[in-house]
Amino acid sequence: MTGLTALNPLFLSLLPLAALPVVFHLFFRLKKSPRVFSTLMFFDRIDPKLNARRRLREWIILLLRTLLILFLLLALARPVWFGIGREGSVAVALVLDNSGSMSGIGADGRTKLKEAVDAARGLVAQLRDQDSAGIVLLVADPVVPLPAGLTADKSALRNALDRISETEASGSVAAAVERAGALFENSAATHFEIHVLSDLQSEKWGAPPVNLRAPRPGASLVVHRVPSPNQPKSNVSMVGVRLPTKVILSGRKLPLEVQLANALNRESRVRLNWLTDAGTRGSDEVILPAKSEKTAAITLESQSPGFRWAGLQLEGDDFDADNRAFIGFNCQEKRNVIFAGKASDFGQLPLAVSPAGDGKLSGLIASFVEAPDFSGGFLALTWDTFATDSPARWARLKTFLEAGGSALIVPAATATANLSPPPDWLIAAPGGFQTASNGLALVALDKANSVFSDLRDEKGDIALRNVKVFRFLPLRSSPNATPVLGLEDGRALLAEQKVGKGRLFISGLAFDSAWSTLTLKPGFIALAQNLAFVQTGAETNIVSLVAGEPLRLRLPAKDPLQVQSLGGSPLDWKGTPAQFATLPRSGVYAARGEKETIYVAVRASEKEGRQTFIAGDALPALGSLAYSVKDFSGGESLVSEFRRLEKSFDLSPLLLLLALAALAAEGWLANPPPLKAKLVTKSKPDLEEENVVTR
Amino acid sequence: MTAAYKYLPPELADRLRGLGVSVRRPVEGGLQGLHRSPHHGASVEFADYREYTRGDPPNRIDWAVYARTDRHVIRRYQEETNLRAYILVDTSESMSFRDAGRLSKMDYACHLAAGLMFVLVNQSDAAGLTLFNDGVQKQFPPVGTLGGLRPMLLALEEIKPSGRSRIDQALHTLAEQIQRRSLVILISDLLQNPADTIRGIRHLQHNKHEVLVLHTLDAAEINLNFSGFTEVRELETGARLPIQADEIRDAYAQEVQKFLDELRRGCLGSLADYQLIDTRTPVEEALHAKFGQP
């Protein structure tokens, strides 16, 4: 903050309004036509300089009016001269940027955050008895015991500062400044200061805020720019980790796709290490060209059933805060596939789903029931299932799906007649029977659908070629249904409908060789098993977050909550959901409420690795707030600025006085006393006197 | 005379029939008339006696005086002649001003001029017309018949006020032109330096002419009837002046009063008859007030 600072700079932007009197004057002068009069000789006789004086006074009045507005606007802008004037108790809010970018190396070889924390310690040491201070972190960190509000307890402040460490998260500048401003709300101090220590990374400081609430009037805001002299020579960040889209079975290989990005202008060679909760480790070398992204495929070893997690870490680059990611997933031992009806109704589908019947090969256990109980597993139904007790069964199916179940409805392989009409909520339904003696080509209509996940080749084509259809019931589907398989003319034969959390596949084609050659193709097995393994929204007790993102738990705000780390950054936090803000470091965490446990997998924010910093004094993230930017050069610079701001002189009362003076002068000049003639012979001409002819 | 004359409608002419214009000083007319002439001649009004000289007709000797004084004197009688009036009408642009009055000053002056010409001709005098602004624009010699007034009345209708007024110049010009003692009637707003105007009047008086000044002003010129900040534009020059009317109202009225007093005193000192006429006054009322029976 320089010597003179406006606390309400918004009013400074209104300063051009001071020209309004001149504009109005010129505008109305142009609009107003002069009054025609016979002669000016009497006006000239009153005062030959009347015109000149009038014009001079007119411009003086305009000047005074302009000054009046100018002084008022300046007074409203609350200009304060720091470094002189009154000295009193100081309330200072220290905003420390503990985001991932601050883990970069600073000027003295330590991390930038360490430099900032040391400077903050120096400032705390300088506080006098009447002063108070508070600490605000850009990224809320549950492991730092921040004092509540402002405090004069230096030991509590030091204790908090000692616990501050680098995170892997991005934070919100506006939110931190608002929290800092809120510290002053009930303070009786005479001076209020917010000192922000940050490296001004563009990702956080370059975006304008939304509805940023200004600190209390009179509070000064100083941003100390911690320099970033040491740019990393190589920096690969982990942008994301993609899990398979189908049910994960224990004892199976788990392919993962790890998305990596190299933002620098040079090739980077890093090692991707991973570790599972079972202790399985792996490693792979990845080479990324300059300014490129790459997906690395890795395969995890078999897992036991239940919640499992894995951690991934990049090794070998110069910036560590964007190198870690954790994933969590549920493993199932086997999955039941319940066929409602006889095996012959489903053609070759039971065999494809579970060749051995006990799930040894596919992980799927096929069972056949007369009537489904809609209790779990993957349901395979025929349209004949709904021939009896139709409304009740449709209703139970809908309830089952909405709760997160998955099902497939197919025509019975022996069906010959048209099917009974489905309920209204089913947005795809088979029409009448059709046959094609020469066969019609069956093609994939939704190549991105998860049922084709193991059937794509390198180019993304589906490995179901030369499939001919001889009998079928084309689906009449609404636009909300997703056609999966169909004829070349676009008619769908297999469509997907999302019902609540569940997924329903509706088929107009029986999976029988009498209907098509699909069951004769090798890819049919994968297709059938993918249908049975399809993942629904039921497994929602796992949340994936980027470090620093708010964790929104659907738990009562006052219920007890315990957050413990299962892997990654250690954490054991107890409180309520309302108190818990965010997880600033990568890891796997279990958030345990009274009734449910939610697992949170956190990866580091890839934004923190971007090495662009704001060099100038304009900080878009602070919007229209009044602030100043100081180059941080150690604890002394922070303390000296703190000392300087202890004294301030408010110029607004003086400006208000000047505005009043301008108003008074304007009033005096604009309403002058009547002029008198130089030589008065009679007070007023009398038209009624004897020598005048008048009415 | 028809009702077609704009400035002499029949109703005005009817109301002016009883008026008469008289002069205080002798005038030199061409015909026998109502007004005193500087010469002696045949009339019933005795003037004086003078010694009989050879050549005088003996029948004019006053024998009664001879009987008392033993001197041969003859009786002389005042010659009575008609009046030659020159009416000067100011046609400068300031005369087009109208604000509070029912007519513009120009229209009002034209009505006055037409009415006076009618009154003069009606009492067997002769009336002429001179139109001027910064110099003499048009002149019509005096005529003694109503028919002779026609071109003058038509000329009045054609007037378009323009130019700046130089009243003194017109008066000097006329003073040099008129040979016989006459009545000069000046109808103007006299908006120029009063001293110049008075000099012109004195020139006429010096040449033994009778001068009557009819000073026509709009009431708004005498007392400002507007308020607030206003930019005023002068008719004759186009000059502009921003004024605060409320601020200068009293000072303006005082300046006008000074101007009128100066004119009035100047006319008095020059033996000229001065009359200030407010254009709100009906023309016949103004003429009756000046020329009607007391």
Side-chain angles (χ1 to χ4, degrees):
Chain A
M1 191 149 304
T2 56
L4 191 60
T5 301
L7 301 181
N8 297 325
L10 175 67
F11 289 99
L12 292 181
S13 60
L14 300 178
L15 281 181
L17 291 179
L20 278 181
V22 180
V23 172
F24 282 138
H25 169 77
L26 295 174
F27 177 74
F28 286 117
R29 196 157 86 165
L30 286 175
K31 297 285 279 185
K32 196 172 178 179
S33 56
R35 187 184 186 93
V36 171
F37 207 68
S38 55
T39 182
L40 299 183
M41 61 184 282
F42 302 118
F43 302 114
D44 292 337
R45 284 181 175 205
I46 293 168
D47 185 352
K49 296 176 181 173
L50 182 65
N51 194 10
R53 272 179 34 180
R54 159 64 54 192
R55 287 185 187 280
L56 180 64
R57 195 169 63 189
E58 194 176 285
W59 284 109
I60 291 174
I61 288 171
L62 278 177
L63 176 69
L64 287 171
R65 286 174 181 166
T66 302
L67 286 175
L68 171 65
I69 297 174
L70 198 67
F71 288 144
L72 274 179
L73 288 173
L74 285 173
L76 290 171
R78 293 285 313 277
V80 176
W81 197 291
F82 286 100
I84 59 170
R86 201 160 53 98
E87 185 175 356
S89 59
V90 180
V92 58
L94 285 163
V95 179
L96 295 167
D97 181 357
N98 60 336
S99 64
S101 66
M102 289 290 281
S103 65
I105 303 301
D108 61 0
R110 298 180 296 163
T111 65
K112 291 180 273 189
L113 183 62
K114 290 276 188 296
E115 292 180 20
V117 169
D118 275 359
R121 277 197 199 96
L123 190 145
V124 169
Q126 294 291 324
L127 292 176
R128 300 161 302 175
D129 291 341
Q130 69 267 34
D131 297 337
S132 56
I135 297 173
V136 173
L137 296 176
L138 202 67
V139 179
D141 191 343
V143 302
V144 180
L146 293 178
L150 295 172
T151 178
D153 183 356
K154 293 185 182 181
S155 63
L157 293 167
R158 285 194 201 99
N159 183 40
L161 290 171
D162 290 344
R163 299 289 296 275
I164 293 174
S165 61
E166 294 81 0
T167 67
E168 297 168 339
S170 286
S172 166
V173 174
V177 171
E178 281 190 358
R179 290 202 300 274
L183 291 177
F184 300 145
E185 279 177 2
N186 297 317
S187 173
T190 55
H191 292 79
F192 300 94
E193 302 173 19
I194 299 174
H195 291 274
V196 183
L197 291 106
S198 172
D199 56 2
L200 305 187
Q201 193 210 22
S202 301
E203 288 291 327
K204 295 186 285 287
W205 291 85
V210 179
N211 297 330
L212 172 56
R213 192 156 50 94
R216 65 182 290 168
S220 54
L221 173 58
V222 187
V223 179
H224 301 266
R225 183 190 353 248
V226 181
S228 306
N230 301 307
Q231 299 288 326
K233 291 176 182 169
S234 65
N235 182 23
V236 177
S237 56
M238 209 174 294
V239 179
V241 182
R242 199 178 296 152
L243 280 166
T245 55
K246 58 185 183 180
V247 171
I248 299 169
L249 292 180
S250 59
R252 307 277 165 159
K253 298 283 186 186
L254 176 61
L256 292 182
E257 291 179 349
V258 184
Q259 295 165 284
L260 304 171
N262 177 15
L264 299 183
N265 281 321
R266 66 183 72 181
E267 182 186 270
S268 291
R269 184 186 297 262
V270 292
R271 179 158 288 278
L272 175 62
N273 302 320
W274 63 89
L275 170 71
T276 67
D277 60 318
T280 312
R281 294 174 186 272
S283 181
D284 195 6
E285 188 178 66
V286 184
I287 299 171
L288 284 98
K291 295 269 182 190
S292 68
E293 290 192 1
K294 188 171 186 178
T295 300
I298 62 171
T299 304
L300 301 184
E301 295 297 327
S302 61
Q303 311 287 330
S304 54
F307 174 74
R308 296 286 163 249
W309 58 264
L312 301 103
Q313 184 184 16
L314 289 172
E315 181 185 349
D317 75 353
D318 293 339
F319 185 78
D320 202 40
D322 58 353
N323 283 354
R324 278 178 288 274
F326 281 77
I327 54 166
F329 48 91
N330 283 316
C331 270
Q332 293 184 14
E333 187 172 9
K334 296 222 172 25
R335 183 167 171 86
N336 289 319
V337 181
I338 298 133
F339 291 89
K342 296 176 289 186
S344 57
D345 290 341
F346 295 94
Q348 286 77 46
L349 185 63
L351 186 62
V353 166
S354 182
D358 57 0
K360 280 184 180 173
L361 296 174
S362 63
L364 294 165
I365 301 171
S367 60
F368 296 88
V369 294
E370 279 285 325
D373 61 356
F374 301 101
S375 59
F378 180 80
L379 287 182
L381 310 167
T382 65
W383 292 100
D384 296 341
T385 309
F386 302 96
T388 58
D389 197 15
S390 173
R393 286 194 177 176
W394 282 118
R396 291 184 68 190
L397 173 63
K398 188 179 180 189
T399 306
F400 169 71
L401 293 170
E402 285 174 341
S406 52
L408 167 71
I409 308 177
V410 294
T414 54
T416 53
N418 287 340
L419 306 175
S420 56
D424 292 340
W425 59 267
L426 213 65
I427 58 178
F433 261 111
Q434 292 191 19
T435 57
S437 56
N438 293 329
L440 296 173
L442 184 71
V443 294
L445 298 179
D446 178 21
K447 293 181 179 178
N449 199 292
S450 60
V451 299
F452 299 123
S453 59
D454 299 323
L455 293 170
R456 295 188 196 91
D457 59 16
E458 288 179 351
K459 294 180 181 175
D461 291 334
I462 308 301
L464 285 174
R465 298 185 184 87
N466 300 323
V467 179
K468 295 292 182 184
V469 180
F470 307 109
R471 297 179 66 192
F472 57 93
L473 293 94
L475 298 177
R476 297 188 302 269
S477 59
S478 78
N480 293 331
T482 307
V484 179
L485 277 173
L487 302 176
E488 285 180 318
D489 60 5
R491 284 182 290 175
L493 297 184
L494 179 65
E496 180 188 349
Q497 177 183 352
K498 287 190 168 56
V499 183
K501 294 177 183 175
R503 295 168 76 177
L504 173 64
F505 291 92
I506 304 155
S507 178
L509 181 69
F511 296 109
D512 187 86
S513 57
W515 290 59
S516 72
T517 60
L518 176 64
T519 56
L520 306 177
K521 301 293 178 183
F524 172 65
I525 296 173
L527 175 65
Q529 293 185 2
N530 284 343
L531 278 170
F533 279 132
V534 74
Q535 210 171 35
T536 65
E539 298 87 2
T540 53
N541 65 333
I542 302 173
V543 177
S544 292
L545 290 180
V546 176
E549 280 183 353
L551 175 60
R552 294 187 177 86
L553 297 170
R554 287 168 301 182
L555 300 173
K558 294 182 179 177
D559 276 8
L561 173 71
Q562 183 178 19
V563 181
Q564 288 178 308
S565 63
L566 305 177
S569 177
L571 177 69
D572 188 359
W573 182 91
K574 287 178 183 171
T576 63
Q579 293 169 331
F580 192 79
T582 184
L583 292 161
R585 296 175 186 83
S586 61
V588 175
Y589 303 88
R592 294 189 175 89
E594 277 191 330
K595 293 179 181 172
E596 75 174 309
T597 298
I598 293 171
Y599 297 99
V600 186
V602 181
R603 71 170 171 86
S605 171
E606 76 278 8
K607 295 177 186 172
E608 294 303 302
R610 294 173 191 160
Q611 301 295 315
T612 52
F613 304 93
I614 292 179
D617 289 346
L619 302 177
L622 293 180
S624 59
L625 293 188
Y627 60 88
S628 64
V629 179
K630 297 283 176 189
D631 285 321
F632 177 80
S633 58
E636 297 78 15
S637 66
L638 177 63
V639 170
S640 67
E641 186 65 18
F642 168 67
R643 282 278 168 242
R644 195 176 70 81
L645 295 179
E646 280 181 334
K647 296 178 183 176
S648 66
F649 177 63
D650 191 350
L651 294 174
S652 48
L654 178 66
L655 288 164
L656 274 177
L657 279 177
L658 287 171
L660 281 174
L663 180 65
E666 191 270 348
W668 181 72
L669 273 176
N671 300 288
L675 285 182
K676 292 179 181 173
K678 291 169 191 167
L679 179 62
V680 179
T681 53
K682 288 187 181 179
S683 62
K684 204 168 184 179
D686 185 2
L687 291 179
E688 303 299 331
E689 70 180 290
E690 56 180 314
N691 206 21
V692 178
V693 175
T694 183
R695 293 193 73 179
Chain B
M1 191 70 53
T2 68
Y5 296 121
K6 179 181 174 184
Y7 294 115
L8 190 60
E11 59 270 21
L12 176 62
D14 288 344
R15 287 176 193 161
L16 299 179
R17 282 188 196 283
L19 296 183
V21 176
S22 60
V23 290
R24 288 176 300 200
R25 301 174 72 171
V27 292
E28 293 175 311
L31 300 169
Q32 187 78 21
L34 300 172
H35 308 281
R36 198 156 53 96
S37 168
H39 306 294
H40 296 89
S43 74
V44 293
E45 190 170 345
F46 170 75
D48 60 1
Y49 294 102
R50 75 168 168 81
E51 291 292 328
Y52 174 80
T53 56
R54 189 174 294 177
D56 287 336
N59 60 349
R60 293 180 64 185
I61 295 173
D62 191 335
W63 295 111
V65 174
Y66 175 75
R68 288 196 302 272
T69 62
D70 201 20
R71 289 171 59 195
H72 289 93
V73 295
I74 60 172
R75 186 190 291 261
R76 294 199 299 181
Y77 293 90
Q78 186 70 49
E79 188 181 64
E80 288 186 336
T81 184
N82 69 333
L83 176 65
R84 297 165 65 88
Y86 291 85
I87 298 174
L88 276 71
V89 178
D90 184 354
T91 64
S92 64
E93 194 158 0
S94 65
M95 290 293 285
S96 65
F97 180 72
R98 179 199 165 192
D99 194 318
R102 53 179 64 184
L103 297 170
S104 71
K105 290 189 290 183
M106 189 72 255
D107 285 339
Y108 198 90
C110 288
H111 273 110
L112 281 177
L116 281 170
M117 287 191 292
F118 175 75
V119 169
L120 285 163
V121 169
N122 210 31
Q123 66 180 20
S124 303
D125 291 330
L129 178 67
T130 300
L131 306 178
F132 71 95
N133 46 24
D134 52 353
V136 174
Q137 299 296 313
K138 272 186 184 175
Q139 270 188 307
F140 297 89
V143 295
T145 62
L146 289 175
L149 291 181
R150 179 179 172 81
M152 291 182 253
L153 291 170
L154 292 177
L156 289 176
E157 291 177 16
E158 291 170 1
I159 292 173
K160 288 182 179 167
S162 64
R164 306 182 66 170
S165 64
R166 289 292 307 275
I167 302 164
D168 53 327
Q169 201 153 325
L171 294 178
H172 288 310
T173 305
L174 203 67
E176 296 302 322
Q177 283 180 353
I178 305 174
Q179 299 299 320
R180 294 180 177 183
R181 298 181 186 190
S182 303
L183 171 64
V184 177
I185 302 173
L186 171 62
I187 306 174
S188 169
D189 55 11
L190 304 179
L191 292 178
Q192 67 167 44
N193 185 3
D196 293 339
T197 307
I198 297 301
R199 263 198 295 277
I201 292 171
R202 281 184 180 153
H203 191 176
L204 284 166
Q205 288 288 355
H206 180 265
N207 289 2
K208 302 189 184 329
H209 302 298
E210 177 94 1
V211 179
L212 169 60
V213 178
L214 297 180
H215 189 187
T216 53
L217 283 179
D218 191 288
E221 294 174 303
I222 301 169
N223 287 309
L224 292 179
N225 64 349
F226 54 90
S227 60
F229 179 78
T230 310
E231 190 174 39
V232 179
R233 182 172 69 81
E234 190 176 50
L235 272 169
E236 291 185 5
T237 62
R240 296 183 181 211
L241 181 70
I243 60 163
Q244 177 57 260
D246 303 318
E247 178 190 337
I248 62 165
R249 190 184 310 283
D250 290 345
Y252 176 88
Q254 288 167 3
E255 282 299 335
V256 173
Q257 190 59 54
K258 279 168 62 182
F259 168 76
L260 296 177
D261 288 346
E262 199 175 344
L263 278 173
R264 193 177 290 117
R265 278 198 303 273
C267 289
L268 194 63
S270 309
L271 299 176
D273 201 358
Y274 172 84
Q275 185 70 52
L276 174 62
I277 302 176
D278 180 354
T279 56
R280 289 177 301 182
T281 312
V283 174
E284 61 270 23
E285 277 185 31
L287 289 173
H288 271 282
K290 180 63 186 169
F291 302 109
Q293 295 298 323

